[in-house]
Amino acid sequence: MTERTTLLQEVSTAFRDNGLTAAITALIGGFIALLAAVTRRAFTNDAMLVRMDRELLSERDRVDRQRAEDRKGDADRLERIETDIRAMRDLMFEAFQRGRTD
């Protein structure tokens, strides 16, 4: 397994082995690597946010469709109840009218 070293350890090793120029080069290379990692992380986070926005939008659409179906089902059920109430009212009115003539 490879052992990872920190940026400062690499700079001090380069300075000890090759002098000031190598140490500065290692320091600049380390900063470039750090900037690349930060940039990659930022773009990864942006991509993740975009994906989450798409998922949230699709979930909202699904919930809205479900609510619309539920409202339609409730409206149909309410219409059937009202129809039954009217039919029962007419039946009772008819029975009441027959009762008076008998």
Side-chain angles (χ1 to χ4, degrees):
M1 201 147 93
T2 60
E3 185 176 324
R4 296 185 72 165
T5 58
T6 65
L7 178 63
L8 290 177
Q9 289 172 339
E10 288 184 29
V11 170
S12 63
T13 303
F15 182 70
R16 184 178 58 244
D17 293 345
N18 301 317
L20 184 61
T21 305
I24 291 173
T25 303
L27 186 62
I28 291 171
F31 280 126
I32 290 172
L34 181 64
L35 285 174
V38 168
T39 303
R40 181 173 40 92
R41 176 73 60 154
F43 283 121
T44 302
N45 287 341
D46 285 344
M48 190 178 349
L49 287 174
V50 168
R51 190 184 85 218
M52 288 175 65
D53 284 342
R54 278 193 316 254
E55 290 175 1
L56 180 62
L57 184 61
S58 67
E59 182 66 19
R60 283 182 181 163
D61 289 343
R62 186 191 66 77
V63 167
D64 287 343
R65 282 192 308 271
Q66 183 65 43
R67 284 184 183 156
E69 288 176 15
D70 291 346
R71 282 192 297 268
K72 185 179 181 324
D74 289 345
D76 292 345
R77 187 171 46 89
L78 184 60
E79 186 177 335
R80 285 192 307 269
I81 290 171
E82 288 174 352
T83 302
D84 290 345
I85 289 173
R86 281 190 207 101
M88 196 58 139
R89 182 194 64 198
D90 293 343
L91 183 66
M92 290 176 69
F93 181 74
E94 224 177 276
F96 182 72
Q97 290 297 333
R98 282 188 201 155
R100 289 184 162 231
T101 58
D102 290 340

